[in-house]
Amino acid sequence: EFQVELPMQTLFERPTVAELAELVTQCLAMRVADGETIHLLTESAIIPRRSGTEPCPLSFAQQRLWFLDQVEPGNPAYNMHLALRLTGMLHEEALEHSLNEILRRHEALRTTFRTVDGQPVQVISPLQPLRLPVVDLTRLPVSDRQAEALRLASEEIVRPFHLVHGPLFRVTLLQLDAEEHLLLLTMHHIVSAGWSIGIFIKEMATFYNAFSRAEESSLPELPIQYADFA
């Protein structure tokens, strides 16, 4: 309503409406131009980039998921999955390039988890070029293709991940027709979430639109990675 953006921590530091109102008033006084959004950052919200490539600790959310995997390894209940229907002529090379750019951009998708001195740590691997697997269903009768696609998608959803060996991100492209494909994306919840998938789709579309026209992407580099936050 006031175009003022506050960090979550503010709700705990100023737990009454009066205290929040005072802070919002201060932020509005800081506004230097109409329509500018104020971003209030506390000292603890400024996260530095870590140095080196040494293993990193887990975030609290990752610790929980790591513990559950120790109790029941490979439980597919923690697989984040999405099937995207792609209609129209598909530029497979641009799509593969887009996926590789996302893997390069987000260290979390290149992360595995092992134990060092009794404590779980994140291990971030260098980018290994991804080759997009394509399953051609056009060899089947048209009436059978949707059922086969559903069967393959269902199998992919429950295929387990191994937190130590990885990778914790998988993708498969199903071709149902010359202008109809189904892209299956699966990630373990320890490196992804529902919000993450939304970001993934948005960035993939941005990269694909650029690469399919032989252009460079305009997305800026990320200031921090998830391991920096952890």
Side-chain angles (χ1 to χ4, degrees), residues 214-229:
E215 299 174 356
E216 294 296 323
S217 169
S218 59
L219 283 180
E221 289 297 312
L222 298 173
I224 62 170
Q225 295 286 334
Y226 188 78
D228 301 321
F229 161 76

Side-chain angles (χ1 to χ4, degrees), residues 5 18 38 46 56 63 81 88 95 109 111 116 184 186 194 214 221:
E5 187 170 316
I38 299 296
I46 303 173
C56 308
Q63 288 178 14
H81 51 85
L95 179 59
L109 297 177
T111 300
V116 175
L184 306 180
T186 312
E221 289 297 312

Side-chain angles (χ1 to χ4, degrees), residues 58-155:
L58 276 60
S59 69
F60 294 134
Q62 287 177 325
Q63 288 178 14
R64 180 176 69 250
L65 289 160
W66 178 87
F67 174 78
L68 291 170
D69 190 76
Q70 306 310 297
V71 176
E72 192 174 359
N75 187 342
Y78 304 105
N79 290 5
M80 305 292 299
H81 51 85
L82 183 69
L84 284 178
R85 186 174 297 278
L86 309 177
T87 303
M89 295 303 297
L90 181 66
H91 193 316
E92 290 184 14
E93 184 177 344
L95 179 59
E96 182 178 270
H97 189 183
S98 302
L99 293 169
N100 275 288
E101 187 62 13
I102 290 175
L103 286 175
R104 182 200 66 78
R105 181 177 168 81
H106 294 280
E107 290 180 352
L109 297 177
R110 296 183 272 117
T111 300
T112 53
F113 300 83
R114 59 184 171 90
T115 304
V116 175
D117 298 329
Q119 296 296 321
V121 295
Q122 300 187 58
V123 180
I124 300 166
S125 301
L127 176 63
Q128 299 294 328
L130 169 75
R131 297 300 178 191
L132 177 62
V134 180
V135 179
D136 186 2
L137 300 182
T138 60
R139 55 183 173 76
L140 299 176
V142 175
S143 58
D144 295 339
R145 294 175 189 174
Q146 293 289 345
E148 179 63 9
L150 180 60
R151 185 188 70 80
L152 293 173
S154 299
E155 286 184 355

Side-chain angles (χ1 to χ4, degrees), residues 116-200:
V116 175
D117 298 329
Q119 296 296 321
V121 295
Q122 300 187 58
V123 180
I124 300 166
S125 301
L127 176 63
Q128 299 294 328
L130 169 75
R131 297 300 178 191
L132 177 62
V134 180
V135 179
D136 186 2
L137 300 182
T138 60
R139 55 183 173 76
L140 299 176
V142 175
S143 58
D144 295 339
R145 294 175 189 174
Q146 293 289 345
E148 179 63 9
L150 180 60
R151 185 188 70 80
L152 293 173
S154 299
E155 286 184 355
E156 172 59 28
I157 287 170
V158 298
R159 190 152 64 94
F161 286 105
H162 195 294
L163 297 192
V164 175
H165 302 299
L168 303 182
F169 163 77
R170 294 193 299 260
V171 59
T172 301
L173 181 66
L174 308 180
Q175 182 177 1
L176 288 86
D177 206 330
E179 296 191 14
E180 185 176 8
H181 296 76
L182 199 64
L183 185 66
L184 306 180
L185 297 167
T186 312
M187 296 165 259
H188 194 284
H189 196 13
I190 200 168
V191 298
S192 182
W195 186 271
S196 308
I197 289 179
I199 295 172
F200 187 104

